Amino acid sequence: MAFHFEILKKDETTGARLGRCHTAHGVFHTPAFMAVGTQGTVKALTPEELREMGAEIILSNTYHLYLRPGHERIRRLGGLHRFMHWEYPLLTDSGGFQVFSLNSLVKISEEGVQFQSHLDGSRHEITPEKAVEIQEALGADIIMCLDECTPYPASHEEAERSMELTLNWSERCRDSRRREDQALFGIVQGGMYPDLRKRCVEALGGMGFDGYAMGGLSVGESKERMLEVVSRTAPLLPLDQPRYLMGVGTPLDIARAVLQGVDMFDCVLPTRNARNGMLFTKGGRLVIKNARYADDDSPIEPGCSCYTCRHYSRAYLRHLYLAEEILAMRLNTVHNLHFYLNFMGEIRQAIAEERLKDWVKTCYAQGASEEENDPGEPDPWGSSFPQKLAGKRNPAPVRAASMK
Ligand SMILES: [Zn+2]
């Protein structure tokens, strides 16, 4: 088995851990952020550019690749690593989250989930066995169990039924795997109910997975609620295995979850926001289209070492964005991903030097100054989720379902 997780250091005063994860395609360091490459590409960037900015592991979406170009085709062409020219650690989700979030005609049964393609209306069924089969054909280093993302809000009874289904599916995923060079992660569900989350952790732990994810979060609940569930769930997970918080989040969300002992994250925020002209800086957001940047010759963030900040001014980036030039998306994505990956590097450094708590406090202090930065715009540091979507049956595809 190629997969192995090493904990290099545990923070004395918090739950944070510094680690190293060995996979069939090399090593990644934790806490880690995985850029989202929905269609087998992190939008607007080449693998070389990703690697240059320090990406060690990326994520791709099973649902999209299954529908187009098809997992069997990717297998015939040598697997996803070769197909997309990324030779390093790669994770695929199970496809379940996208089935639920991108389709209105979804039927869930004990057997699996039936749905119609969002592309052409064709009918499909994904069972736990099928989810593993597809992910084995794609060949990522870490694959995920099929789970049901518990809707929010859900009653205790609904969340319990949903969690039981996830447990049943998880066991079937474990039993159907054939490849031994891939790690399989179980996903903890249970809605916002600590007793259900605890039961789910115990049952999954008994099945024996290579790592554990927390799912069903960042689906419309308040940030406080999300962090409370994380803080009560993460400590129950096996100490010596990686913990992955799916679909989270803003830089501060990530920092707070690291304090609770989470090792892995993924989110579309840095890439999607880049394409919408929203740039992350230490002082908060920067909305590049704002008139105040029309004559601004400074980089997005003075001192940032990314390619974009080394060569281009806010004024030029604003011009590219308003002119709808392709380069705007590329340059903005370079900066935002650099920001996230650099942020994770600083977290790891702070854990190594036993000053994580102080470092997080400094982040808060800097983030607070954003209020004067761009008044009236959505606040990416404060909310990873549009409030108007709260409570809908289908969680908005913040996690990784970006279509455009
Ligand atoms: Zn930059």
Side-chain angles (χ1 to χ4, degrees):
M1 181 72 205
F3 189 79
H4 171 57
F5 183 57
E6 246 183 300
I7 293 178
L8 304 173
K9 190 175 184 105
K10 279 188 188 135
D11 195 45
E12 302 258 312
T13 57
T14 72
R17 310 110 68 82
L18 185 69
R20 190 153 53 196
C21 210
H22 301 258
T23 78
H25 287 83
V27 167
F28 66 91
H29 295 84
T30 64
F33 178 79
M34 300 182 280
V36 177
T38 299
Q39 316 252 21
T41 166
V42 174
K43 290 185 199 302
L45 300 183
T46 65
E48 283 79 5
E49 288 167 329
L50 283 169
R51 198 65 190 170
E52 240 164 65
M53 61 179 73
E56 294 184 316
I57 175 169
I58 59 175
L59 171 152
S60 200
N61 290 117
T62 295
Y63 168 83
H64 290 84
L65 298 174
Y66 159 76
L67 288 178
R68 180 179 61 194
H71 60 293
E72 280 301 330
R73 173 167 289 132
I74 291 176
R75 187 183 56 74
R76 283 196 302 275
L77 291 166
L80 187 55
H81 286 93
R82 178 154 185 253
F83 189 56
M84 68 184 285
H85 177 49
W86 174 260
E87 298 156 18
Y88 307 100
L90 184 59
L91 180 148
T92 46
D93 63 1
S94 69
F97 184 84
Q98 263 80 31
V99 169
F100 298 124
S101 57
L102 290 177
N103 296 283
S104 48
L105 298 164
V106 177
K107 220 182 115 199
I108 303 164
S109 68
E110 192 79 9
E111 184 50 28
V113 52
Q114 295 177 327
F115 62 97
Q116 272 186 288
S117 162
H118 72 280
L119 295 174
D120 60 7
S122 56
R123 291 178 183 280
H124 302 266
E125 180 172 28
I126 291 187
T127 60
E129 292 78 13
K130 183 84 181 176
V132 169
E133 181 197 320
I134 298 169
Q135 293 183 84
E136 291 195 339
L138 297 174
D141 303 289
I142 300 174
I143 66 176
M144 305 298 297
C145 284
L146 185 67
D147 63 325
E148 191 199 7
C149 184
T150 307
Y152 179 83
S155 68
H156 190 277
E157 199 183 343
E158 289 165 335
E160 184 172 24
R161 184 210 54 75
S162 170
M163 182 209 67
E164 296 287 356
L165 186 64
T166 289
L167 286 178
N168 170 333
W169 288 358
S170 304
E171 193 161 27
R172 283 164 58 192
C173 282
R174 184 202 61 186
D175 293 343
S176 65
R177 63 193 291 206
R178 304 216 169 125
R179 286 179 66 156
E180 293 201 339
D181 57 342
Q182 296 177 302
L184 176 64
F185 281 22
I187 303 177
V188 180
Q189 290 288 347
M192 304 298 148
Y193 301 100
D195 62 314
L196 297 181
R197 291 267 169 187
K198 184 165 185 280
R199 264 174 56 196
C200 196
V201 167
E202 284 164 2
L204 288 175
M207 294 178 202
F209 291 100
D210 300 304
Y212 296 86
M214 283 170 271
L217 292 168
S218 203
V219 290
E221 78 280 15
S222 70
K223 200 165 278 286
E224 291 66 34
R225 202 83 188 274
M226 187 265 282
L227 282 163
E228 196 202 325
V229 174
V230 170
S231 68
R232 294 178 73 161
T233 309
L236 305 173
L237 293 166
L239 272 176
D240 54 350
Q241 288 176 291
R243 303 158 173 176
Y244 166 23
L245 179 55
M246 306 181 85
V248 173
T250 65
L252 283 183
D253 290 340
I254 290 175
R256 281 179 281 197
V258 165
L259 292 171
Q260 306 298 334
V262 178
D263 308 302
M264 297 165 64
F265 302 87
D266 79 280
C267 191
V268 294
L269 273 185
T271 41
R272 180 185 290 168
N273 283 1
R275 299 194 300 278
N276 294 327
M278 205 301 301
L279 302 162
F280 287 92
T281 74
K282 287 190 171 158
R285 64 180 165 226
L286 190 154
V287 178
I288 199 64
K289 71 174 180 205
N290 283 358
R292 72 175 66 179
Y293 303 122
D295 290 292
D296 191 337
D297 195 36
S298 57
I300 299 167
E301 175 145 68
C304 175
S305 63
C306 86
Y307 171 79
T308 304
C309 288
R310 278 187 284 125
H311 300 287
Y312 303 98
S313 66
R314 294 172 177 178
Y316 181 64
L317 294 168
R318 175 175 186 271
H319 159 68
L320 289 183
Y321 182 78
L322 293 178
E324 297 181 14
E325 281 293 332
I326 295 169
L327 189 59
M329 291 196 178
R330 281 183 43 70
L331 294 178
N332 291 348
T333 303
V334 164
H335 171 81
N336 272 2
L337 263 188
H338 176 95
F339 179 89
Y340 261 68
L341 294 169
N342 196 53
F343 188 81
M344 301 312 293
E346 287 187 15
I347 286 178
R348 292 193 298 267
Q349 189 72 24
I351 299 173
E353 293 170 4
E354 296 172 14
R355 53 176 179 81
L356 181 65
K357 252 184 165 171
D358 288 341
W359 183 84
V360 173
K361 272 185 210 150
T362 313
C363 284
Y364 272 106
Q366 288 175 329
S369 70
E370 75 181 5
E371 291 309 317
E372 303 116 53
N373 202 358
D374 282 299
E377 295 289 341
D379 172 4
W381 284 74
S383 167
S384 62
F385 203 90
Q387 284 307 306
K388 63 179 174 12
L389 293 167
K392 281 182 77 175
R393 166 63 184 83
N394 289 330
V398 162
R399 190 163 103 205
S402 171
M403 300 305 299
K404 279 271 167 334

